[in-house]
Amino acid sequence: MKNLTFSILLLLGAIIFISSCKDDANDTDDSSTESSTPIAAFDEFNPDAVTISFDGDEITIESNGLPNHTSPYWAETEPLYIDPVVATRLTPGGIGSRSLTVTVPSAPEIAATSTATGLGPIGISVTGVPIFNDQEGDNRPIEEMIVETFDYAGAHNGPSGYHYHVESSDVPENTILSHDDEKLVGIMADGFLIYGRKCNSTGDHPTNLDVSGGHSSSTQHSANDKFYHYHIINEFYLGNIIALFAVDLQGTPNSIM
């Protein structure tokens, strides 16, 4: 009888152990992802420049393109104007109001094939300023002469207005923009969010990014829910600058008008 009781206890212990192992495996399973864009992320956008509208399974982002940070590209009469602290020369023109609009799905999906970005806006940043790729013109990648025109925000002025190309500089004037951290940078034309070089889920540079700097993990905006998003890729593009987005979009791009 004692032997029978002992055997039953051993069996029960084995069942509990196996069940516990299965629970542990489920807790660390990276294959389960949440694809919906966390609504909390939109609280990071500059309310003076950006309007967010939710309609069913679509999100519309509208911006006037006016950032909430200082720059030498502001007119000298504007309160956010500062003398250049990074740029050694400026492109003609300055920061002015315009209209930018993009409508993206609230639950964007990775497309069957990636899409190369073109000239012009490929995303809208949290400040309301459009994000551009690593090209300054047709088949003309960013070069040293262009880098000289970037302010500390990684932006300059062009025919279509003030826009970002590269990660912001680590200078005292930079109190808003991401620099080698986990801050939200903005949203890309395919509806996926883009964060700084570090990931909130680990507190460090992620090591499991795809070719576009994307992966599925939780962020500061999603609690423990995982969803696909981009990061600024932690690689120098030219000299000591890092491009915001110099790769293909993994989702289906929408026009930023």
Side-chain angles (χ1 to χ4, degrees):
M1 191 65 161
K2 288 182 179 180
N3 288 338
L4 178 60
T5 302
F6 182 69
S7 297
I8 292 173
L9 289 174
L10 283 177
L11 180 60
L12 287 173
I15 292 172
I16 293 171
F17 176 77
I18 292 170
S19 176
S20 175
C21 287
K22 286 182 178 179
D23 290 341
D24 289 342
N26 289 336
D27 288 342
T28 58
D29 183 7
D30 289 335
S31 64
S32 176
T33 60
E34 173 57 57
S35 61
S36 295
T37 303
I39 302 303
F42 295 104
D43 293 338
E44 304 281 352
F45 283 74
N46 172 17
D48 294 327
V50 182
T51 301
I52 310 292
S53 303
F54 302 92
D55 183 11
D57 58 358
E58 291 185 333
I59 303 171
T60 297
I61 301 99
E62 300 175 86
S63 175
N64 61 19
L66 300 176
N68 52 348
H69 61 72
T70 56
S71 172
Y73 283 103
W74 284 105
E76 292 187 20
T77 55
E78 294 291 335
L80 290 176
Y81 170 82
I82 60 169
D83 291 330
V85 294
V86 172
T88 56
R89 63 186 182 89
L90 301 180
T91 50
I95 296 172
S97 181
R98 59 238 170 101
S99 179
L100 298 161
T101 303
V102 64
T103 298
V104 298
S106 58
E109 298 179 350
I110 295 177
T113 57
S114 63
T115 303
T117 58
L119 300 177
I122 61 171
I124 297 178
S125 71
V126 291
T127 68
V129 173
I131 297 169
F132 278 39
N133 65 13
D134 62 328
Q135 301 289 307
E136 188 55 25
D138 289 330
N139 299 314
R140 185 188 175 193
I142 294 171
E143 53 196 17
E144 196 62 40
M145 283 184 59
I146 301 301
V147 173
E148 294 172 357
T149 68
F150 292 151
D151 61 12
Y152 76 78
H156 64 179
N157 200 60
S160 61
Y162 182 75
H163 55 270
Y164 301 134
H165 279 286
V166 301
E167 184 189 54
S168 61
S169 301
D170 184 18
V171 294
E173 290 80 5
N174 180 14
T175 60
I176 295 175
L177 298 160
S178 171
H179 176 85
D180 195 19
D181 57 28
E182 59 194 37
K183 287 182 182 177
L184 180 65
V185 175
I187 189 166
M188 302 306 293
D190 57 2
F192 292 120
L193 298 175
I194 179 170
Y195 288 83
R197 283 188 270 158
K198 292 183 179 178
C199 188
N200 177 262
S201 63
T202 63
D204 204 348
H205 302 124
T207 58
N208 61 341
L209 300 179
D210 61 24
V211 293
S212 294
H215 72 161
S216 291
S217 76
S218 61
T219 74
Q220 61 268 40
H221 301 114
S222 66
N224 293 321
D225 294 328
K226 300 174 184 177
F227 68 102
Y228 183 85
H229 56 274
Y230 300 115
H231 285 276
I232 298 173
I233 296 177
N234 187 39
E235 295 176 357
F236 289 114
Y237 177 81
L238 176 66
N240 62 351
I241 70 165
I242 292 178
L244 288 178
F245 199 86
V247 285
D248 287 3
L249 293 168
Q250 290 298 316
T252 302
N254 302 275
S255 297
I256 300 178
M257 308 299 290

